[in-house]
Amino acid sequence: MTRTTRTPLALLLVAVLALAGALAAVTTAPAEAAPKPGPVAGVTVGDARIAGSKASVRIAWRKAPRARGYQVLWARSAKMKKARTASVRKRSYTVRNLAVGQTWCFQVRAVAGKKKGKRSAPVCRRIAKPGQSASPWIAAASVTGTGTAARTQLTVRWRATAGARSYELDYAITPEPVVNYPLWENKARQTKKVTGPTAVLPGLTPGKIYCFQVRAITAGGAGDRSPTHCKYTMTADRRLPAGSPQALDVATWNICASPVACRTHPFNKRVDAIAARIKAANVDVAAIQEVPPGPVDDLTRRLSGFDRACTSGAEAVFVRTYRYRLLSSSDTVGTPHTNPGACWARIEPANGGDPVVVVSLHLKPGPTAADDRIRRTQAADVLAWVRDRFPRDHLVLAGDTNSNRGHDLDGPRLAWQSGSLMDAYDIAGAFRSYPVQNSMNNWETTPKESTRWGAHIDRVFSSAGIHVASWEIIEPQSGGRYTQLLSDHSLVRTGLLIPTS
């Protein structure tokens, strides 16, 4: 038998052919199918953000096995018919332009190339616009630090909104007139998120006007912002005095005892209850307006424990004798003139202390700008008259100013602030009654509210350094209505703490 000898070239050719056959076998073998991405779990639907008739909702979920991306689906029912979709790579997505007042359902599934995982179970939410929150108000204020490092802290409260899970309180320094500078347009606006109807705001600038709005966050989304409330912040010189300050509790009350102005509410039928309310207020000084001769004598006889320090026209000052004693008054020295009137008393603590001049006054009524200019002049004249005679005494001006911060020109405040006197309502450390209910009630049993400022024409102003510990309106209520109106004004009570020399 003849033996065949293979050359190296032939051997190489055989090897190449064998390798090619092996590669062909590999490429023609069926490939094993890649698995689909795993199911999506942990789908959550955030609270809706509502603007007008449209809402947006943030959807989030946990990472799915083998997912390279995700598909979000949403429709108006759990059957997910006519569902709209969006493709994303992240594990969250904000669905926008959802109609308010509808139920919306959401699903998510993982995607890997052309392969899609199983849809998650539908998660449905009704997007119903919640009600508007009530206006906030200031419950307490304090000052920390000194000089340029001084900062004011405010405690802000509001009525709870039904269904609220949390709240957003917006606030910012706002120039005057505040009505021209809407808070939601203020680029410096800050937002405090809280779970209940109270927020503490430290680090505010003293002596500035801040405005506030609140809105509720519910399962149905964010409600409309509340009406705006604005507040002047306590200044460093009005902080709680060191040591043992001299306490002086002051009430001011227009009791409408004029037989002309209040003829439908005879004073002789109210005087006993008026005297009882003044006593129950537990004040050292009561500045009374609209109490002409005759009625003032009737009231004096019923105010046991008080001395009538002065009267002038229809204004009076009563002093609680066991706490303070009278040094002099307008009954013997003379008085500044306002329209309708004013009287003053210089008093000191019964056990010794600094003298204080207290003025009861009633400034010109009237709604016009001309009336306001007259009130400003009257206020300036009173201050100049008193300061000319008592330049170093502590000073308290209390009465019916017929003006408040809501006026285009709050003349009395402007006149007295120039002399370093501040409104107790602006700088009080605590508010013991709902501060946006007006001090003038007009004999109406439903309380009137002025949410932007609190429209209090019955005011107490005090000189520099005096700390206003508290402010309140004393007017009994039940079920949201006044139960025993004794005048067309309510008694305003302030607790003052005077630094001693």
Side-chain angles (χ1 to χ4, degrees):
M1 183 175 66
T2 304
R3 186 173 180 180
T4 302
T5 303
R6 295 184 180 181
T7 65
L9 179 61
L11 292 173
L12 177 62
L13 181 60
V14 171
V16 169
L17 291 174
L19 179 60
L23 290 172
V26 170
T27 56
T28 56
E32 184 178 345
K36 291 182 178 182
V40 172
V43 176
T44 59
V45 178
D47 291 330
R49 294 286 193 180
I50 298 174
S53 61
K54 298 295 182 181
S56 60
V57 174
R58 184 177 182 272
I59 315 298
W61 55 91
R62 292 198 292 268
K63 184 178 181 179
R66 300 176 297 280
R68 295 182 181 176
Y70 300 90
Q71 184 185 55
V72 181
L73 304 92
W74 63 96
R76 291 191 179 183
S77 73
K79 294 181 179 180
M80 302 303 291
K81 291 183 178 180
K82 298 181 180 180
R84 284 174 267 181
T85 63
S87 297
V88 297
R89 290 188 174 275
K90 297 181 179 180
R91 288 184 292 111
S92 66
Y93 179 71
T94 299
V95 183
R96 305 183 187 279
N97 294 318
L98 300 174
V100 173
Q102 302 286 337
T103 296
W104 289 93
C105 298
F106 306 90
Q107 290 180 308
V108 182
R109 62 181 174 186
V111 177
K114 294 184 179 181
K115 296 186 181 295
K116 297 178 180 178
K118 184 179 179 181
R119 294 185 184 183
S120 64
V123 179
C124 300
R125 292 284 186 273
R126 178 168 177 79
I127 301 178
K129 193 169 186 177
Q132 184 183 38
S133 296
S135 176
W137 69 88
I138 307 304
S142 61
V143 174
T144 58
T146 59
T148 58
R151 291 294 180 266
T152 300
Q153 176 173 291
L154 297 180
T155 300
V156 188
R157 290 181 181 160
W158 53 92
R159 295 188 181 113
T161 304
R165 294 180 173 181
S166 61
Y167 298 90
E168 291 180 349
L169 177 69
D170 295 337
Y171 61 99
I173 294 175
T174 306
E176 292 189 278
V178 295
V179 294
N180 293 346
Y181 299 93
L183 183 57
W184 59 87
E185 295 179 1
N186 193 324
K187 294 182 180 179
R189 182 182 75 245
Q190 299 182 66
T191 300
K192 175 91 169 181
K193 297 181 179 181
V194 294
T195 57
T198 301
V200 177
L201 303 178
L204 305 183
T205 304
K208 297 292 184 180
I209 293 171
Y210 280 80
C211 290
F212 307 86
Q213 285 183 304
V214 67
R215 66 176 176 178
I217 309 298
T218 73
D224 287 338
R225 290 182 172 89
S226 70
T228 301
H229 179 66
C230 299
K231 189 71 176 62
Y232 183 85
T233 51
M234 184 188 293
T235 52
D237 68 307
R238 297 301 185 134
R239 71 174 70 245
L240 181 66
S244 301
Q246 178 177 311
L248 177 66
D249 297 325
V250 178
T252 184
W253 196 7
N254 180 328
I255 62 173
C256 197
S258 166
V260 176
C262 293
R263 59 184 178 275
T264 58
H265 301 273
F267 182 69
N268 62 346
K269 295 183 179 180
R270 296 182 283 125
V271 62
D272 288 332
I274 287 173
R277 186 167 297 178
I278 293 172
K279 291 179 182 179
N282 193 29
V283 293
D284 303 312
V285 173
I288 306 298
Q289 299 83 47
E290 287 195 22
V291 56
V296 73
D297 294 331
D298 294 338
L299 181 61
T300 301
R301 285 191 291 271
R302 290 165 171 82
L303 279 178
S304 57
F306 287 80
D307 277 350
R308 189 173 77 196
C310 68
T311 59
S312 176
E315 282 55 63
V317 171
F318 291 88
V319 179
R320 189 162 55 169
T321 52
Y322 86 89
R323 288 267 295 169
Y324 277 83
R325 61 171 170 258
L326 180 64
L327 299 176
S328 59
S329 76
S330 55
D331 281 3
T332 57
V333 179
T335 186
H337 176 72
T338 70
N339 179 14
C343 84
W344 60 268
R346 188 170 185 254
I347 61 176
E348 69 176 6
N351 58 355
D354 290 354
V356 183
V357 177
V358 180
V359 180
S360 175
L361 50 81
H362 193 175
L363 302 182
K364 185 182 186 304
T368 69
D371 294 325
D372 224 343
R373 288 192 294 271
I374 293 172
R375 284 190 288 269
R376 184 174 186 174
T377 299
Q378 290 178 331
D381 289 346
V382 168
L383 179 60
W385 194 97
V386 174
R387 277 300 179 219
D388 184 55
R389 288 156 179 80
F390 308 105
R392 293 183 178 84
D393 286 356
H394 302 292
L395 176 59
V396 176
L397 304 177
D400 180 353
T401 67
N402 276 303
S403 182
N404 62 70
R405 275 190 178 269
H407 287 198
D408 291 338
L409 176 66
D410 185 10
R413 175 177 58 84
L414 297 176
W416 291 336
Q417 275 188 187
S418 66
S420 299
L421 280 83
M422 297 295 298
D423 187 351
Y425 177 77
D426 284 343
I427 57 174
F431 292 85
R432 295 178 175 172
S433 64
Y434 186 41
V436 300
Q437 288 183 348
N438 298 356
S439 65
M440 186 172 185
N441 57 63
N442 286 319
W443 294 109
E444 296 177 12
T445 56
T446 301
K448 290 182 176 294
E449 296 184 3
S450 298
T451 56
R452 189 179 304 280
W453 284 113
H456 308 298
I457 65 176
D458 304 282
R459 305 160 87 175
V460 176
F461 282 74
S462 60
S463 55
I466 296 178
H467 174 69
V468 181
S470 63
W471 179 99
E472 65 181 308
I473 289 176
I474 297 179
E475 193 65 75
Q477 296 185 47
S478 178
R481 298 175 71 86
Y482 294 136
T483 57
Q484 191 189 16
L485 289 177
L486 300 177
S487 172
D488 57 347
H489 295 245
S490 299
L491 186 152
V492 173
R493 184 190 190 279
T494 61
L496 308 181
L497 293 175
I498 302 171
T500 53
S501 57

